[in-house]
Amino acid sequence: MNSICILRLSAIGDVTHVIPVVLSLQEQLPGVKITWVIGKIEAKLVGDLPGVEFIIFDKKAGRKGYAELRRQMTGRKFDALLHMQVAFRANLAAACIPARVRIGYDKARSKDLHSLFINHRIKPAPKQHVRDCLASFLEPLDLKAAPPRWQIPLKDSDHDFAREQLANDRKNLVISPCASHTLRNWPAERYAQLADHAIQKRGMKVILVGSPAPFEAEYCAAIEAAMKEKAHNICGKDTLKQLTALMTHADLVVAPDTGPAHIASAVGTDVLGLFAASNPYRSGPYNSLDWCVNRYPEALEKFTGKTVEQARWGAKAEFEGAMDLITVADATNMLDRWVEVNPVAKAESGVR
């Protein structure tokens, strides 16, 4: 086994879960050549992982994107392809990658003709977290599943940016309020009440973050406008690397089911997750499941009539009003619990 290609184009959260797979491959197969076919935005986060060749697939390029991928694959033959994405677009990309062993999902998790592009499957595993699922892609190669270990390269300038945003005399709370699916978003006015509580009752500094997308900028502005206290709003002003550094040095992150929550978990920072539209035990911040507010069972039953046990694993409850089931008290109580367990700020303990 000399050369392995990983196909995982998106999204940010899922891409962070592939990092342990890369690290484990490098440990279990020293000298193996790893190529990762990845999305354009996602490459900005992990595209400098040591010892990995990255090939950018531009999904917005249409047929030209597939033609370019085929061109870059000319003359290659991988020993194995880890086909880690079932979306039809990714399946078509997999057809451009020549590999002897083509590992994909088990039948229960296959869709969009995924089965036509693979010749080996991972083992079925009901009620499995996404990270553990991706980690298991090594097992058909007679390797051990990848342990939960992360490494995201950062520059000194990224850390310098982060430190400029953070307070040195109190805890820092980063709020990343927006998910790519708007039905996973908590109301802005409730974020404002949580932020005010963190400042007034717990003496924390609150930093609002988000992408440059107009919707996210408007959302963070709405939170600011609804607050009684003052937040530090840097929405759209940081890069993915700077955000990762900020998450590294922050004390706590608040987020719904979104990529930054997984970045924070990957760098070892606790995440107060807000979950109703999706199941945290499947897609929540891996190292912070105990800190998630979980109203998913109520949302699923209210909007689908099914219990968690009756529904398909991974079923969403992305309905208008689902996230409203999370009350401000749910979030503030969880924040208070976290502070009681973590009384000392990173800056005060010398961690930062």
Side-chain angles (χ1 to χ4, degrees):
M1 193 66 61
N2 298 310
S3 61
I4 293 176
C5 183
I6 295 171
L7 175 62
R8 183 75 211 196
L9 304 175
S10 60
I12 291 293
D14 296 308
V15 163
T16 64
H17 294 322
V18 179
I19 296 173
V21 176
V22 170
L23 298 179
S24 188
L25 272 173
Q26 292 172 332
E27 186 176 87
Q28 295 188 65
L29 295 175
V32 68
K33 295 179 181 179
I34 301 173
T35 299
W36 185 345
V37 181
I38 193 171
K40 195 173 183 179
I41 294 174
E42 291 74 12
K44 294 180 180 180
L45 177 66
V46 300
D48 54 353
L49 277 172
V52 181
E53 174 198 20
F54 285 87
I55 294 178
I56 308 300
F57 178 79
D58 186 357
K59 61 185 179 182
K60 294 182 179 180
R63 292 181 180 179
K64 291 182 179 179
Y66 294 104
E68 175 60 18
L69 181 58
R70 281 195 298 271
R71 186 193 68 78
Q72 295 191 67
M73 292 295 164
T74 301
R76 299 188 186 218
K77 184 72 172 181
F78 295 100
D79 291 319
L81 167 67
L82 307 185
H83 184 6
M84 294 178 157
Q85 195 154 357
V86 297
F88 188 64
R89 181 188 290 117
N91 288 328
L92 291 180
C96 302
I97 302 172
R100 176 173 55 85
V101 176
R102 308 174 66 85
I103 300 169
Y105 287 88
D106 57 287
K107 290 183 179 180
R109 288 177 280 195
S110 295
K111 63 179 182 179
D112 292 345
L113 305 179
H114 181 73
S115 300
L116 299 179
F117 301 90
I118 61 174
N119 54 25
H120 288 73
R121 297 181 184 274
I122 60 173
K123 293 179 180 178
K127 300 184 178 180
Q128 190 176 45
H129 192 282
V130 170
R131 193 222 74 88
D132 295 331
C133 171
L134 296 176
S136 73
F137 268 74
L138 298 185
E139 293 178 329
L141 299 176
D142 292 327
L143 300 174
K144 295 178 181 177
R149 182 168 58 92
W150 285 266
Q151 173 189 319
I152 301 177
L154 297 172
K155 296 178 180 178
D156 289 342
S157 58
D158 299 319
H159 293 289
D160 291 340
F161 172 87
R163 292 187 180 98
E164 289 172 2
Q165 316 308 318
L166 301 168
N168 290 317
D169 58 348
R170 57 194 186 277
K171 288 187 176 71
N172 290 276
L173 174 67
V174 173
I175 296 179
S176 180
C178 296
S180 57
H181 300 281
T182 57
L183 292 174
R184 297 179 190 174
N185 291 339
W186 204 38
E189 61 273 14
R190 298 191 187 184
Y191 274 119
Q193 293 179 61
L194 173 62
D196 282 334
H197 176 86
I199 296 169
Q200 294 170 351
K201 303 297 184 182
R202 294 301 179 176
M204 305 176 88
K205 179 175 182 177
V206 173
I207 301 103
L208 300 176
V209 299
S211 79
F215 168 77
E216 297 201 25
E218 292 167 6
Y219 215 82
C220 287
I223 294 171
E224 260 195 303
M227 287 178 62
K228 297 176 182 177
E229 302 293 335
K230 179 66 177 173
H232 182 46
N233 185 357
I234 60 169
C235 181
K237 299 176 182 178
D238 57 344
T239 65
L240 271 174
K241 292 290 194 180
Q242 290 171 336
L243 175 65
T244 302
L246 185 69
M247 300 290 195
T248 301
H249 298 295
D251 294 281
L252 180 66
V253 172
V254 173
D257 187 358
T258 184
H262 300 290
I263 294 175
S265 184
V267 297
T269 296
D270 289 336
V271 181
L272 196 169
L274 302 173
F275 281 77
S278 53
N279 187 345
Y281 293 103
R282 179 187 177 274
S283 59
Y286 191 77
N287 293 319
S288 292
L289 298 182
D290 289 342
W291 297 119
C292 289
V293 175
N294 182 15
R295 293 296 180 188
Y296 172 72
E298 293 95 323
L300 195 66
E301 192 153 6
K302 178 177 180 178
F303 293 102
T304 72
K306 295 181 180 180
T307 65
V308 176
E309 290 72 24
Q310 293 170 335
R312 174 183 58 82
W313 182 250
K316 299 290 192 295
E318 292 175 342
F319 299 94
E320 196 71 45
M323 291 296 287
D324 292 342
L325 295 175
I326 301 173
T327 67
V328 174
D330 287 336
T332 55
N333 289 342
M334 187 65 79
L335 176 67
D336 291 340
R337 275 185 52 207
W338 181 88
V339 171
E340 290 170 6
V341 175
N342 300 273
V344 180
K346 283 185 180 180
E348 296 170 335
S349 64
V351 173
R352 185 181 307 153

